[in-house]
Amino acid sequence: MKVRLKGDAICTLFLVVALGSLLYSQLEHLAPAGNKELTHKKPSVTQRIFSDPKAPGRPVPVEATVPRPQIIPMVRRAEVASNRVQTTTSPPLTDSTFNFKRYLLNKDNRNFNLLINQPKKCRKIPGGPFLLIAIKSVVEDFDRREIVRKTWGREGLVNGEQVQRVFLLGTPKNRTVLATWETLIHQESQTYRDILLWDFMDTFFNLTLKEIHFLKWAAEFCSNVKFIFKGDADVFVNVENIVDFLERHDPTEDLFVGDIIYNARPIRVQKSKYYIPETMYGLSIYPAYAGGGGFLLSSRTMRKLSRACKEVELFPIDDVFLGMCLQRINLKPILHEGFKTFGIVKPSAAPHLQTFDPCFYKDLMVVHSLKVAEIWLMWNLLHSPRLSCTQKKQVKKPFQWKKKVQTATQASPF
Ligand SMILES: *[C@@H]1O[C@H](CO)[C@@H](O)[C@H](O)[C@H]1NC(C)=O
Ligand SMILES: *[C@@H]1O[C@H](CO)[C@@H](O)[C@H](O)[C@H]1NC(C)=O
């Protein structure tokens, strides 16, 4: 009997090893040459957040070399900045030559005028909107705003709850588009009544200003809102799931939920876009903060953060800055599995799922780094009456499959 058991154990062990090496060779095969560094080890939290595929000297992101739509890269496309503020080909010169001295000198200059307001956005809704969707965008990204308006950013009723939308903009840093943008953005605002524009230059390092000004605006013009979702324009948001989740919470209590990053270390490498000298931040770890793809907060937390952020010194990384505000009000942000602000893990880790399968997105809340067409396609697939997912949607444990993915990921050489 004992011998038999031993034999079984050895057999199982053998199978596990065989399966592992099979998976490994598959992954090897999938990973394009030159990306070994990215794919071989799962990047640490800090590396993940701060990996910047567009920065010089960095490996090309997986996405660029792998044909779509089979694989969505695990490596998140660059942070907000390199996607939107810098346009396509030019290397991020302005960001890598970030002038800390000037930043520190200008740090107290943190109050800018609101050039375009939507004062009735929330007030016109009797009892206030259930959810305000606030999306960071840049003036130039008209197409992204259009697709968000037509898909997950729609205003109106979702599960019987009123949803409103605003886009958060600064003035374009590209001076050559200045001549025409002003007329265009005013026109857009007239048409959709969803533009908030402030008088600061819309750069990556000014996103903190956007954070502060949005919170100030929300406290002043949208105090009757119950919950807020704040996120990027290149994410896919399952608003139905978010509403469903929020309906089980009380807006008069504190709530801050997202893809929370714990114990991230400041980058001390000068070449990095996220380089923070010790003179600017002396501690060795950042407070817990939400990845920028998107997060949820209650009305109460919004008001508290609005006040708290006024008292926190400007910090050039907006996500971290908000983490500092949270720390100030002693609020622990909550990590939720439904927030995938680093994009989707490769399907090889979850072979039973196709990455672009809408069922894959059905139980998620936020998925980061989607192209305009992908957002449109996914939204339409998810809302197709013919959609039927064989996996039953589990109300109690909607993210159970993730466990399998994690196990597979750990076993794989990532
Ligand atoms: C600024 O915008 C103009 C017109 O769209 C474009 O041709 C130019 O390349 C842009 N410059 C930069 C630095 O992005
Ligand atoms: C932020 O915006 C202000 C006002 O437009 C501008 O003077 C400053 O250079 C910007 N800062 C960064 C870091 O881009």
Side-chain angles (χ1 to χ4, degrees), residues 95 98-99 102-103 106 109 112 171 173 175 199-207 209 316:
D95 288 330
F98 180 59
N99 189 332
R102 211 174 67 193
Y103 189 83
N106 283 328
N109 188 14
F112 293 88
T171 59
K173 81 170 180 186
R175 297 280 124 187
D199 193 13
F200 54 80
M201 208 194 285
D202 213 336
T203 62
F204 175 68
F205 291 108
N206 266 345
L207 284 175
L209 289 177

Side-chain angles (χ1 to χ4, degrees), residues 174-188:
N174 185 339
R175 297 280 124 187
T176 52
V177 301
L178 264 178
T180 46
W181 75 269
E182 212 165 350
T183 345
L184 285 175
I185 205 76
H186 276 98
Q187 194 66 44
E188 195 182 332

Side-chain angles (χ1 to χ4, degrees), residues 237-257:
V237 183
N238 195 325
V239 180
E240 283 87 356
N241 284 357
I242 283 185
V243 167
D244 190 56
F245 172 80
L246 290 174
E247 276 175 333
R248 288 174 267 140
H249 288 85
D250 182 353
T252 63
E253 283 176 11
D254 275 323
L255 178 77
F256 190 99
V257 180

Side-chain angles (χ1 to χ4, degrees), residues 20-34:
S21 45
L22 190 73
L23 199 66
Y24 185 83
S25 61
Q26 286 255 327
L27 293 168
E28 275 271 285
H29 181 68
L30 281 173

Side-chain angles (χ1 to χ4, degrees), residues 32-52:
N35 279 325
K36 296 263 156 79
E37 190 194 325
L38 282 175
T39 47
H40 266 207
K41 63 177 202 272
K42 189 171 184 152
S44 74
V45 170
T46 347
Q47 278 170 321
R48 278 205 306 166
I49 321 149
F50 297 118
S51 70
D52 178 14

